[in-house]
């Protein structure tokens, strides 16, 4: 996804697939979910499908179900329908390790990723395990029974066939309130796995702007893009400087009269090719599986090199990024104002523009950047403050897109409890970045911030398989990481200074200062820690 991303004033949700598309994904919400399953996966997006496929492959005799609150598979890649939506990680690492991405496009459009997730679900048997319109509300662990009791709201079947209510929420509720027409279902499971991402599907973050009600045009949030919005010949302002804005601007500039990216502060932007180069002749002699691994590890190595260089030599990385921007913009362009952030690279995620699309739009004059504060909305557009010696003026707009970020929502909003005692995730340490201290048989999927999301999800699935095999071999029923007596200095699970993280920091579990309570942003290191390290050390307890 292009950054993590957003409610529009037009009421058509981006969660609505094209006509006829829904029938491929939806199972009747009246189709019964078993009263008990060995493993319950929450969410049928990129993470949930990957996790379920791994567990089905490793444990074909275990009962497994996937519950999804929306009426379609694909998570983020089904929800977001704004122009130009695409990956912001290369697909050779964003794809699944056991089903490699073999399209030449390394930066792929959202629709292609959605199809890839769905095809994977079909091929692995996950698709038939998914129950749509099932929103997890709460889960309570019973130590006496060694199982979870999970409360689920099952939505009434959508009227009109493929119409559905996909925009109504994520893999779980943003609120504990029951949906209109929903019925409450209670099931039990041995292992609960939350693959619901970390943001609210039903609403994005939009600050309240002074005079917003005075604006005479259309106000849109990318998270719920109106399917009928036509910007042809119109003046568009995109508020924001993150990955969504940097994706939207060149895409909208192809149709609009003019697009202005209005940012409060700049972001680091890097141009990368959108397609993989043709392999060298000798590579064509290799088995396909070997070539897949080479491509994947090359991508891993490049991402890790970029991150480590940024952390160890931030000034050099700043100079490198700046030179790339200067080469692609006209002479005299104010790079300092528009492309020189006040923070170091990777304090926030780097933004990617495939094949320099943003820079092309700026060069052609179809797009421009204004770096200034917003004073207020006016009928004809957005009035800016005129900071740092700039002129206070009105940026004209027929359409304003608020690409202002997302709202964090951990575990899809489900309420967790252990033996009736409510679990506050913000008070818990995370174990290897995928379990909570003192919460048995519960795992969650949060990917890397400095590399492809799926790399970490794949490792979590492999580790969970190792853990379940260990339980089976010894006749055990539960595993729980026990928090150290002295945690020392802690930090949020997502260690970025981005606005959405700062706004939701109070919701996030913590990570400690050292392994296994520290989530390292280092895939090769995690490969060892998750695939080969001891299961019985580092504070993990087991029982029957």
């Amino acid at each position: 996804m292009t950054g993590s991303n957003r409610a529009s004033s037009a009421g058509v949700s981006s969660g609505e697939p094209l006509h006829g598309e829904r029938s491929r994904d939806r199972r009747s919400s009246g189709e019964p979910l078993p009263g008990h399953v060995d493993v319950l996966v929450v969410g049928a997006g990129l993470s949930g499908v990957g996790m379920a496929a791994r567990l089905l492959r490793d444990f074909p005799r275990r009962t497994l179900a996937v519950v999804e609150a929306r009426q379609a598979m694909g998570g983020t890649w089904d929800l977001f329908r704004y122009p130009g939506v695409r990956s912001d990680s290369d697909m050779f690492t964003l794809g699944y390790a056991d089903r490699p991405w073999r399209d030449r496009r390394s930066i792929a459009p959202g629709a292609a990723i959605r199809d890839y997730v769905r095809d994977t679900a079909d091929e692995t048997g996950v698709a038939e395990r998914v129950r749509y319109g099932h929103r997890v509300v709460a889960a309570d662990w019973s130590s006496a029974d060694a199982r979870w009791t999970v409360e689920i709201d099952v939505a009434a079947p959508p009227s009109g066939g493929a119409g559905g209510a996909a925009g109504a929420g994520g893999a779980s509720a943003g609120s504990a309130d029951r949906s209109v027409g929903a019925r409450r279902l209670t099931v039990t499971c041995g292992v609960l796995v939350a693959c619901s991402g970390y943001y609210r599907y039903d609403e994005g973050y939009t600050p309240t702007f002074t005079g917003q009600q005075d604006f005479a045009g259309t106000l849109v949030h990318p998270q719920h893009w109106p399917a009928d919005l036509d910007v042809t010949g119109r003046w568009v302002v995109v508020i924001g400087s993150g990955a969504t804005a940097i994706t939207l601007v060149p895409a909208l500039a192809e149709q609009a009269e003019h697009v202005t990216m209005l940012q409060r502060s700049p972001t680091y932007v890097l141009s990368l090719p959108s397609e993989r180069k043709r392999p060298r002749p000798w590579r064509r002699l290799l088995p396909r599986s070997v070539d897949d691994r080479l491509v994947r590890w090359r991508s891993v190595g490049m991402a890790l090199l970029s991150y480590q260089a940024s952390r160890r030599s931030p000034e050099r990385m700043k100079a490198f990024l700046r030179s790339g921007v200067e080469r692609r913009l006209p002479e005299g362009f104010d790079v300092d104002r528009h492309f020189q952030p006040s923070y170091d690279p990777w304090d926030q995620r780097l933004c990617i523009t495939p094949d320099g699309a943003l820079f092309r739009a700026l060069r052609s004059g179809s797009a421009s950047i204004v770096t200034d504060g917003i004073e207020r909305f006016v009928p004809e557009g957005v009035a800016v403050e005129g900071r740092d010696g700039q002129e206070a003026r009105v940026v004209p707009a027929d359409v304003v897109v608020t690409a202002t970020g997302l709202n964090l929502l951990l575990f899809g909003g489900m309420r967790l409890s252990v033996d009736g005692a409510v679990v506050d995730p913000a008070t818990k340490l995370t174990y290897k970045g995928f379990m909570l201290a003192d919460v048995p048989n519960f795992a969650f999927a949060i990917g890397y911030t400095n590399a492809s999301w799926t790399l970490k999800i794949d490792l979590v699935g492999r580790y969970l398989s190792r853990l379940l095999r260990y339980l089976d071999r010894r006749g055990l029923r539960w595993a729980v990481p026990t928090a150290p007596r002295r945690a020392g200095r802690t930090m949020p699970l997502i260690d970025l200074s981005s606005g959405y993280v700062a706004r939701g920091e109070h919701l996030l579990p913590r990570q400690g200062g050292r392994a296994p309570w520290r989530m390292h942003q280092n895939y090769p290191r995690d490969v060892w820690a998750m695939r080969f390290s001891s299961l019985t050390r580092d504070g993990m307890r087991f029982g029957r």
Side-chain angles (χ1 to χ4, degrees), residues 164-424:
S172 196
S175 164
D177 295 338
R178 297 179 67 176
S179 303
V180 176
R183 60 183 174 86
R184 180 62 56 87
L185 175 69
T186 300
V187 300
T188 60
C189 65
V191 178
L192 181 62
V193 188
C195 296
S196 47
Y198 60 87
Y199 69 92
R200 289 189 65 149
Y201 275 41
D202 58 339
E203 67 175 28
Y205 173 71
T206 304
T208 300
F209 298 104
T210 302
Q212 186 171 316
Q213 69 281 359
D214 299 331
F215 179 53
T218 303
L219 188 64
V220 180
H221 196 289
Q223 187 158 318
H224 297 293
W225 191 269
D228 59 353
L229 179 61
D230 183 6
V231 299
T232 303
R234 305 175 79 182
W235 290 74
V236 181
V237 169
V238 177
I239 299 176
S241 59
T244 302
I246 286 169
T247 298
L248 274 166
V249 169
L252 293 173
E254 294 178 0
Q255 301 175 2
E257 179 68 24
H258 187 82
V259 180
T260 302
M261 187 167 84
L262 176 53
Q263 59 181 9
R264 181 176 55 188
S265 58
T267 299
Y268 291 109
V269 182
L270 177 66
S271 175
L272 289 179
S274 61
E275 291 192 359
R276 174 192 176 190
K277 293 181 179 179
R278 292 190 179 278
R280 297 179 184 276
W282 66 269
R283 290 268 296 278
R284 298 173 194 169
L285 302 176
L286 295 175
R288 193 66 180 270
S289 60
V290 174
D291 187 57
D292 288 335
R293 291 193 198 98
L294 287 174
V295 171
R296 188 175 181 86
W297 275 101
R298 179 184 181 277
S299 296
V300 168
M302 294 298 292
L304 185 60
L305 178 63
S306 167
Y307 180 76
Q308 293 295 335
S310 298
R311 286 316 197 196
R312 297 181 183 186
S313 303
E315 295 304 319
R316 289 186 179 180
M317 181 56 73
K318 286 180 185 180
F320 169 76
L321 293 170
R322 180 189 174 90
S323 67
V325 171
E326 288 178 332
R327 286 198 309 271
R328 292 172 173 84
L329 289 174
E331 187 175 349
F333 191 93
D334 195 344
V335 173
D336 285 335
R337 181 181 297 278
H338 302 307
F339 286 100
Q340 195 64 42
S342 58
Y343 56 87
D344 287 340
W346 279 115
D347 284 351
Q348 299 180 23
R349 288 196 62 148
L350 295 185
C351 290
I352 304 302
T353 179
D355 303 319
L358 175 66
F359 304 124
R360 276 202 316 274
L362 294 172
R363 283 199 313 269
S364 71
S366 60
S368 60
I369 298 181
V370 174
T371 304
D372 207 338
I374 294 175
E375 180 181 335
R376 62 177 295 114
F377 275 53
V378 295
E380 64 272 24
V382 183
V384 297
E385 297 171 348
R387 295 184 322 199
D388 305 324
Q390 297 183 98
E391 178 186 359
R393 64 199 186 283
V394 172
V395 181
D398 303 306
V399 178
V400 172
V401 182
T402 54
T404 44
L406 51 81
N407 288 319
L408 288 187
L409 184 69
L410 201 63
F411 311 146
M414 77 171 82
R415 298 189 304 271
L416 288 177
S417 56
V418 174
D419 295 325
V422 175
V423 173
D424 180 2

Side-chain angles (χ1 to χ4, degrees), residues 426-430 482-492 509-518:
T427 66
K428 296 295 184 181
L429 285 180
T430 53
T482 304
R485 293 181 180 179
R486 298 178 181 177
R489 187 177 70 90
T490 65
M491 63 191 75
R510 311 292 293 180
Q511 53 176 317
R514 59 194 178 106
W517 307 102
R518 178 73 182 272

